[in-house]
Amino acid sequence: MSNVHELQFIKDQIEDLKKDGVYRKLPVLEGANESEILLNGKKVINLSSNNYLGFANHPKLKEAAIKGVEEYGVGSGAVRTIVGNMDIHEELEKTLAEFKREEAVMVYQSGFNCNAGTIQAITGKGDLIISDELNHASIIDGARLSRADKTVYKHADMKDLERILKEKRDQYTNVLIITDGVFSMDGDIAPLPEIVELAEKYKAMTYVDDAHGSGVLGESGRGTVDHFGLHGRVDFTIGTLSKAIGVVGGYVAGSNTMKEWLSHRGRPILFSTSLPPAAVCAISEAVKLLMSTTEFTDKLWENGRYFKDRMKEAGFDIGNSGTPITPVMVGEEEVTMKFSKGLLDRGVFVSGIVFPTVPKGTGRLRCMVTAGHTKEQLDQAVETFVSVGKEMGVI
Ligand SMILES: *Cc1c(COP(=O)(O)O)cnc(C)c1O
């Protein structure tokens, strides 16, 4: 008998990962997240971060964070319902609500726990959650925490969504339709106007997780709801403060009623310590920057278009992205991973995305273009793609 503390059952499963070729080590970033980075000791162009606007190492945000530490310390010291609700948290939520053009915002410690805490607070027994099949893992986990029934519709398929609404609406008290605003693996935008129409027709609520849309789409990054002019017609809009905003955290934007309820029933608000002052002050600065100028989002889109045009010219299949996310479709899992390694060897870091994250045979290299990239870096990345792609027979 093996010793129980050896965790043999976990070791066996790790061996399975290795057999399946999906075992990996975490890459180590030495220094700040920039368009060019030191990764595992090697200088490479970074096409893998969610730092869309280059805010993660922005001098103004760093200055705000330092000031936050000096005035408020390094930690908030408690959950918000006790004494962890500082005036800077309140101010941040007001600023975010103004930015998002919504009545109110409730800030969480991450986008992940925002989904984990919000979905279960607004749905219950007798309700139905209808979710796009490609929704983010944190939505899936969040829905699991709810006592509501759950079902999925085919990706962005409005006929399938209506079929479910028609069949099931009458059997439930409340129905909540959940979708990503921007789907992170392909960069495609959810058909939000159609979803909202269907929701209103069948009296369902809507919940949009705009982690990859906020700071990217809409006026100066106000998000997918703003992009489509749907203010007031989406009940819950989730955003992350960890991607384009460059810091960490998540939030839900919507009505005062939503906020009042979540301050009583959002479990991460009640049972997990609030964001630290440095993060809160840096985020506030980021949102104020976005409200004062569109230069960051303009640059992001300019770079995105430039890179996509050049990759298309070079003969790559770059899918159907509606955002600066640029998936380079490769196909087979092994070829995709080899391509990614070939790029890294020549100084370009692009993560290969393969099954089970995406369907079998649809492996891709997901290029994350940011406002921080220079034209020279993008040119160099394209040239490297071309030389590896030719060698491997992809183009
Ligand atoms: C990244 C992401 C999250 C998680 O956000 P964090 O702030 O990193 O926890 C949630 N939803 C979607 C759609 C995401 O892409």
Side-chain angles (χ1 to χ4, degrees), residues 90-128:
E90 295 272 323
E91 279 161 32
L92 172 62
E93 287 174 337
K94 279 205 192 91
T95 308
L96 270 171
E98 188 193 331
F99 176 63
K100 297 294 285 186
R101 302 183 168 134
E102 299 285 347
E103 255 177 40
V105 160
M106 179 62 102
V107 165
Y108 285 75
Q109 301 86 342
S110 78
F112 195 107
N113 87 355
C114 179
N115 280 326
T118 305
I119 298 171
Q120 61 165 317
I122 57 174
T123 56
K125 213 169 153 36
D127 296 338
L128 176 67

Side-chain angles (χ1 to χ4, degrees), residues 50 110-113 115 136 138-139 180 182 184 209 211-212 240-243 248-250:
N50 300 316
S110 78
F112 195 107
N113 87 355
N115 280 326
H136 190 257
S138 58
I139 295 177
D180 279 19
V182 171
S184 58
D209 181 349
H212 284 276
T240 176
L241 302 165
S242 330
K243 288 176 177 145
V248 70

Side-chain angles (χ1 to χ4, degrees), residues 131-353:
S131 187
D132 186 292
E133 67 178 341
L134 294 189
N135 277 346
H136 190 257
S138 58
I139 295 177
I140 298 169
D141 288 11
R144 279 190 188 141
L145 292 171
S146 162
R147 288 181 209 279
D149 284 351
K150 297 116 202 170
T151 186
V152 297
Y153 62 96
K154 290 200 194 96
H155 176 52
D157 185 334
M158 294 300 99
K159 282 212 180 80
D160 201 37
L161 175 59
E162 180 152 28
R163 175 189 62 77
I164 295 167
L165 285 164
K166 216 180 248 165
E167 265 174 43
K168 306 216 176 218
R169 177 63 189 96
D170 291 345
Q171 302 163 32
Y172 291 95
T173 313
N174 292 317
V175 171
L176 181 68
I177 303 170
I178 307 186
T179 182
D180 279 19
V182 171
F183 290 86
S184 58
M185 293 304 141
D186 289 301
D188 55 324
I189 305 170
L192 217 48
E194 290 83 0
I195 292 173
V196 167
E197 290 270 317
L198 284 176
E200 288 172 353
K201 181 172 166 191
Y202 290 91
K203 299 196 172 16
M205 299 180 290
T206 41
Y207 184 109
V208 177
D209 181 349
D210 214 17
H212 284 276
S214 37
V216 175
L217 279 170
E219 190 195 342
S220 209
R222 282 172 171 78
T224 309
V225 172
D226 188 75
H227 170 74
F228 285 118
L230 291 169
H231 292 288
R233 295 175 69 192
V234 171
D235 302 283
F236 307 94
T237 303
I238 308 315
T240 176
L241 302 165
S242 330
K243 288 176 177 145
I245 299 300
V247 192
V248 70
Y251 62 88
V252 47
S255 62
N256 288 325
T257 309
M258 167 279 293
K259 181 164 180 170
E260 217 179 333
W261 181 241
L262 291 178
S263 72
H264 291 87
R265 286 292 182 275
R267 290 170 71 82
I269 305 295
L270 274 68
F271 299 111
S272 183
T273 300
S274 56
L275 280 178
V280 175
C281 294
I283 296 162
S284 270
E285 184 64 27
V287 179
K288 282 175 192 157
L289 270 180
L290 287 180
M291 287 200 283
S292 72
T293 171
T294 62
E295 70 172 87
F296 299 100
T297 46
D298 290 347
K299 190 76 204 302
L300 168 66
W301 283 86
E302 185 191 316
N303 279 349
R305 275 190 282 265
Y306 180 78
F307 183 73
K308 279 182 177 168
D309 286 348
R310 291 219 48 197
M311 289 295 282
K312 231 188 281 175
E313 272 165 32
F316 287 104
D317 173 2
I318 56 167
N320 296 312
S321 171
T323 63
I325 297 173
T326 309
V328 178
M329 310 310 280
V330 177
E332 244 177 84
E333 286 68 35
E334 217 184 290
V335 182
T336 309
M337 296 320 287
K338 237 190 221 159
F339 201 136
S340 170
K341 169 126 197 335
L343 289 169
L344 185 60
D345 288 343
R346 289 178 217 185
V348 180
F349 181 50
V350 185
S351 25
I353 313 253

